[in-house]
Amino acid sequence: MISFEVMLYPKRKTQGKVGYATLKMDMSKAYDRVEWGFPQAMMVKMGFCMEWVNKVMNMVTTVTYQFIHGGKSFGNISPRRGLRQGDLISPYLFLPVTEGFLALLKKISFQGRIHGVKICTKAPSILQLFFTNDALYLFKAATKEAMTIRQCLEIYQAASSQQVDFQMSNIFFTGNTNASV
């Protein structure tokens, strides 16, 4: 229900001095690009015990693949990065990956450098909504805030090897956004 209300907010917001932007961001080959050290470091940072982290990372890093072509088996190919799509554990491993970007956003929000959307007066401010490899980021439609998010994104991309798919990403503005922004 929260995501539904947040999605409708930009369409309904047509008055007021402050406009808002909603950035729908799609990560390119999100699962394939994950460098194994990043979710490992994030799980440690999030407080998981090393024994658990090592067991999980052992499941991720010891996989090998074989291919059959023309009746012949080829293989024992060992990947060096990425999470296996379709593996039941992969969405849970992707959460620490997205937590890296979320931690950056929370930090700059706490510093007052970006401001989330309040869909009503007494509601908490909402800065992001995640849906696996898609994410929505909500902020004031101001050049300074957009540049701050871009800087955080560059830091996150460098650390995690994630990459924004700009062809699949979009930005929407509330009706009261000043065209000069």
Side-chain angles (χ1 to χ4, degrees):
M1 186 183 305
I2 293 170
S3 63
F4 181 76
E5 287 297 321
V6 171
M7 292 298 294
L8 283 179
Y9 180 79
K11 294 177 183 177
R12 294 189 316 233
K13 176 93 170 125
T14 58
Q15 297 178 355
K17 294 179 182 179
V18 178
Y20 288 92
T22 301
L23 173 63
K24 184 237 170 233
M25 195 166 67
D26 183 85
M27 302 308 280
S28 175
K29 300 184 184 284
Y31 281 82
D32 298 339
R33 292 184 183 275
V34 174
E35 293 290 343
W36 290 336
F38 191 75
Q40 181 178 15
M42 287 303 302
M43 285 190 282
V44 170
K45 184 87 169 161
M46 293 168 72
F48 288 91
C49 76
M50 278 308 296
E51 183 180 359
W52 172 257
V53 172
N54 289 336
K55 284 181 181 183
V56 169
M57 293 311 298
N58 188 51
M59 286 188 285
V60 172
T61 60
T62 59
V63 68
T64 59
Y65 296 100
Q66 291 185 346
F67 299 93
I68 298 175
H69 179 70
K72 293 183 181 180
S73 179
F74 300 90
N76 285 353
I77 298 170
S78 300
R80 295 189 180 154
R81 69 175 181 187
L83 303 175
R84 296 181 300 272
Q85 287 190 12
D87 190 329
L88 297 176
I89 197 170
S90 291
Y92 299 103
L93 287 173
F94 199 74
L95 290 173
V97 174
T98 58
E99 183 65 29
F101 189 54
L102 181 56
L104 286 171
L105 291 179
K106 285 179 181 177
K107 180 179 178 181
I108 62 172
S109 176
F110 183 74
Q111 294 170 348
R113 294 171 52 202
I114 60 171
H115 304 84
V117 170
K118 291 180 109 179
I119 58 174
C120 64
T121 307
K122 294 185 179 184
S125 180
I126 299 171
L127 188 58
Q128 82 291 326
L129 294 172
F130 288 118
F131 307 96
T132 312
N133 63 329
D134 290 323
L136 294 177
Y137 301 98
L138 306 110
F139 55 95
K140 285 184 181 177
T143 304
K144 190 173 185 178
E145 291 204 15
M147 294 303 293
T148 300
I149 288 179
R150 184 178 180 121
Q151 289 168 347
C152 286
L153 187 57
E154 289 169 357
I155 293 167
Y156 171 68
Q157 288 180 124
S160 69
S161 295
Q162 292 292 287
Q163 194 171 33
V164 175
D165 183 344
F166 288 105
Q167 299 297 325
M168 299 298 292
S169 299
N170 295 296
I171 191 162
F172 307 96
F173 297 95
T174 55
N176 68 326
T177 301
N178 184 335
S180 65
V181 172

